[in-house]
């Protein structure tokens, strides 16, 4: 039986000459990769971001999101060392169709940074009594979810970093009243309380509307650290309730980093 891919989306995504034509998501534990493959879902988690250079009413926030990059594979080593040896690569058509958005990297000395601060201050002061400014507040809130300073201290390595190197794209779900909390957290008591943050992450996983779904034909690459993990993943895939042609295609996507080193 021949498995056909779905009709192409209505608009055409041109091939990139500078970026990878794949969205890569890296992780540091093999069990996370197995969960993603088994469930055919990527679950957003709350990540901490630094906004101290914008001089807003808060210095750090947590945003519910799932992060990807489109770094070409021959340049991905430094990224992998920070974010982990396990990776799933999905088509750009899939990512664009599902609302992935490139991060807006801002220079704190630029006009856009000053405009964001002014708009934020105005919205905080007056939005309660002004419908127009209430809309501005919503725009600023949405913008904050995709903002990142061009450089700063990396929370993972505790070292200074040029964040534009990450070529980051984000998926940020629109959380509603079902979960009882927002996709952006500014309360410092919650931001720094890992137990509370993890409880929020677990709650989000209960709702299909907040996760990123994919089909196996959306996958281009699966990277693991060792050949034993590849064998383990093959066994998992062979147990999937899919046609054999789908399973074999998925197995062909699996790569072991050490075996492909120098090929990209």
């Amino acid at each position: 039986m021949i498995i056909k891919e779905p009709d192409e989306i209505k608009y055409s995504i041109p091939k990139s000459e500078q970026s990878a034509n794949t969205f890569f998501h890296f992780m540091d534990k093999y069990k996370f990769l197995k969960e993603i493959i088994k469930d055919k879902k990527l679950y957003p988690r709350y990540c901490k971001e630094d906004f101290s250079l914008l001089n807003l009413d808060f210095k750090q926030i947590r945003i519910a999101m799932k992060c990807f990059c489109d770094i070409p594979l021959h340049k991905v080593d430094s990224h992998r060392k920070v974010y982990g040896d396990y990776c799933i690569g999905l088509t750009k058509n899939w990512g664009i169709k599902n609302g992935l958005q490139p991060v807006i990297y801002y220079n704190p000395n630029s006009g856009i940074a000053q405009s964001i601060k002014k708009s934020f201050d105005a919205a905080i002061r007056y939005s309660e009594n002004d419908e127009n400014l209430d809309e501005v507040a919503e725009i600023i809130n949405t913008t904050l979810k995709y903002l990142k300073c061009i450089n700063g201290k990396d929370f993972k390595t505790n070292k200074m970093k040029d964040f534009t190197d990450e070529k980051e794209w984000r998926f940020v779900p629109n959380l509603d009243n079902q979960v009882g909390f927002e996709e952006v957290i500014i309360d410092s008591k919650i931001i720094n309380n890992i137990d509370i943050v993890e409880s929020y992450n677990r709650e989000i996983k209960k709702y299909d509307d907040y996760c990123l779904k994919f089909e196996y034909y959306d996958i281009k690459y699966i990277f693991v650290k060792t050949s034993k993990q590849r064998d383990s993943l093959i066994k998992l895939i062979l147990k999937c309730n899919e046609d054999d042609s789908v399973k074999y295609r998925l197995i062909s996507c699996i790569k072991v980093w050490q075996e492909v080193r120098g090929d990209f």
Side-chain angles (χ1 to χ4, degrees), residues 185-236:
I185 300 172
I186 62 173
D187 186 339
S188 60
K189 293 180 181 178
I190 297 177
I191 289 171
N192 297 310
N193 189 317
I194 300 302
D195 290 337
I196 295 178
V197 172
E198 285 301 323
S199 71
Y200 286 4
N201 290 334
R202 289 192 296 272
E203 189 67 21
I204 290 175
K205 288 180 68 173
K206 297 177 182 179
Y207 300 92
D208 266 5
D209 291 345
Y210 305 143
C211 68
L212 268 174
K213 300 175 185 177
F214 61 85
E215 296 298 334
Y216 289 139
Y217 52 68
D218 294 314
I219 297 176
K220 291 177 68 176
Y221 298 99
I222 301 170
F223 283 97
V224 294
K225 189 174 182 180
T226 68
S227 58
K228 287 185 178 180
Q229 289 168 341
R230 175 179 54 197
D231 295 342
S232 170
L233 202 55
I234 288 172
K235 291 178 182 178
L236 175 67

Side-chain angles (χ1 to χ4, degrees), residues 13-72:
I13 299 174
K15 183 178 179 181
S16 175
E17 300 297 333
Q18 300 293 330
S19 303
N21 290 283
T22 303
F23 285 125
F24 297 106
H25 173 65
F26 287 80
M27 60 213 87
D28 59 4
K29 289 184 173 60
Y30 176 54
K31 67 177 183 179
F32 296 154
L33 179 62
K34 287 199 299 182
E35 179 183 59
I36 289 170
I37 299 300
K38 181 181 178 182
D39 295 349
K40 295 198 287 189
K41 297 174 186 175
L42 293 111
Y43 301 99
R45 294 176 57 83
Y46 278 96
C47 301
K48 186 158 65 172
E49 295 291 329
D50 181 50
F51 283 90
S52 57
L53 293 180
L54 277 180
N55 295 317
L56 301 177
D57 289 348
F58 49 82
K59 294 185 181 297
Q60 297 175 351
I61 66 175
R62 280 193 184 267
I63 306 168
M65 58 181 167
K66 185 55 68 173
C67 301
F68 300 82
C69 73
D70 59 357
I71 303 172

